[in-house]
């Protein structure tokens, strides 16, 4: 891992995730989690303050030790135990059917094998459990899609593997989930970067 990936990129990710609009969307989704929760891609822990008292425990995974170190500083004072693990979503060290709610916010774009990761999430989710998500991805408008395809190779290198052109609802279906609720729209900002999928899958 190079200097940029280890020291600069984690701080850029933390800074970008603090954006007002992204924070508003995460604040709308995360409080719906309850019971035993798995957060995939906890990053620097910006979602921790949004969890409701109905959470009994939180297992949170991220492949970046630098981001996990930032998250550890935000655990103090929480009303539930937090287990931070340096893991990739494609290989979770959790038992089958052990999680009530999975939370995934602006994460799927940078997972190297998204379908494999979603199948792992489905494996650890209890029957009747929920996956709550807000993710950016492939836009419906042809002109915007063309720009997403053009920009993606460079953007992916600069943004830690983030992809602009993933169709989130299709990936969820390929991963074995049924989308129960879906809201999609452009958020304020450049359209190739801001088409967002938000909802709940089972």
């Amino acid at each position: 891992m190079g200097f940029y990936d280890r020291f600069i990129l984690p701080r850029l990710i933390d800074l970008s995730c603090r954006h007002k609009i992204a924070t508003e969307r995460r604040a709308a989704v995360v409080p719906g989690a309850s019971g035993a929760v798995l957060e995939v891609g906890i990053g620097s822990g910006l979602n921790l303050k949004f969890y409701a008292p109905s959470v009994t425990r939180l297992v949170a995974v991220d492949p970046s030790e630098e981001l996990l170190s930032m998250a550890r500083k935000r655990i103090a004072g929480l009303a539930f135990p937090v287990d931070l693990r340096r893991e990739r979503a494609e290989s979770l060290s959790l038992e089958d059917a052990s999680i009530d709610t999975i939370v995934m916010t602006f994460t799927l774009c940078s997972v190297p094998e998204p379908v494999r990761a979603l199948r792992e999430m489905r494996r650890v989710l209890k029957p009747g459990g929920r996956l709550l998500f807000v993710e950016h991805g492939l836009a419906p408008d042809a002109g915007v899609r063309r720009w997403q395809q053009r920009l993606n190779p460079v953007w992916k290198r600069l943004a830690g593997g983030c992809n602009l052109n993933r169709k989130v609802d299709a990936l969820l279906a390929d991963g074995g989930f049924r989308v129960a609720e879906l809201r999609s729209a452009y958020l304020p900002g450049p359209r190739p970067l801001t088409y967002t999928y938000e909802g709940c899958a089972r």
Side-chain angles (χ1 to χ4, degrees), residues 138-154:
L138 190 66
D141 302 290
V144 178
R145 285 189 185 208
R146 283 194 293 272
W147 274 108
Q148 288 177 317
Q149 302 295 354
R150 290 178 189 135
L151 293 170
N152 200 66
V154 174

Side-chain angles (χ1 to χ4, degrees), residues 152-174:
N152 200 66
V154 174
W155 179 262
K156 185 177 178 180
R157 287 197 298 272
L158 293 175
C162 173
N163 290 271
L164 300 173
N165 56 358
R166 289 184 172 173
K167 195 171 190 307
V168 175
D169 53 346
L171 288 173
L172 287 165
D174 289 344

Side-chain angles (χ1 to χ4, degrees), residues 11 43-44 64-74 84:
R11 285 155 182 81
S44 60
S64 169
E65 183 57 46
E66 288 71 26
L67 286 170
L68 288 173
S69 294
M70 296 181 198
R72 287 188 188 98
K73 298 174 184 177
R74 295 188 164 107
L84 295 177

Side-chain angles (χ1 to χ4, degrees), residues 27-196:
V29 169
V30 176
S34 61
V37 177
L38 167 65
E39 181 171 347
V40 177
I42 189 173
S44 60
L46 296 177
N47 284 342
L48 289 169
K49 64 184 178 181
F50 298 128
Y51 282 105
S54 54
V55 174
T56 57
R57 69 183 180 101
L58 173 66
V59 179
V61 302
D62 201 282
S64 169
E65 183 57 46
E66 288 71 26
L67 286 170
L68 288 173
S69 294
M70 296 181 198
R72 287 188 188 98
K73 298 174 184 177
R74 295 188 164 107
I75 290 175
L78 293 175
F80 49 84
V82 179
D83 180 3
L84 295 177
R85 303 185 184 186
R86 186 181 181 185
E87 293 182 4
R88 296 192 175 276
E90 295 93 337
S91 183
L92 298 170
S93 61
L94 286 164
E95 295 181 0
D96 295 358
S98 59
I99 295 295
D100 297 297
T101 312
I102 297 174
V103 171
M104 188 173 62
T105 63
F106 302 108
T107 294
L108 198 61
C109 61
S110 60
V111 174
E113 299 176 78
V115 173
R116 180 181 169 190
L118 286 163
R119 288 174 179 165
E120 269 290 89
M121 293 180 220
R122 187 174 182 273
R123 177 185 67 78
V124 305
L125 196 61
K126 293 178 182 179
R130 300 170 301 143
L131 167 59
L132 306 179
F133 62 90
V134 54
E135 298 284 344
H136 73 91
L138 190 66
D141 302 290
V144 178
R145 285 189 185 208
R146 283 194 293 272
W147 274 108
Q148 288 177 317
Q149 302 295 354
R150 290 178 189 135
L151 293 170
N152 200 66
V154 174
W155 179 262
K156 185 177 178 180
R157 287 197 298 272
L158 293 175
C162 173
N163 290 271
L164 300 173
N165 56 358
R166 289 184 172 173
K167 195 171 190 307
V168 175
D169 53 346
L171 288 173
L172 287 165
D174 289 344
F177 284 93
R178 176 181 59 84
V179 177
E181 301 172 22
L182 179 62
R183 299 170 293 281
S184 54
Y186 291 102
L187 299 181
R191 287 196 156 197
L193 280 65
T194 60
Y195 189 74
T196 305

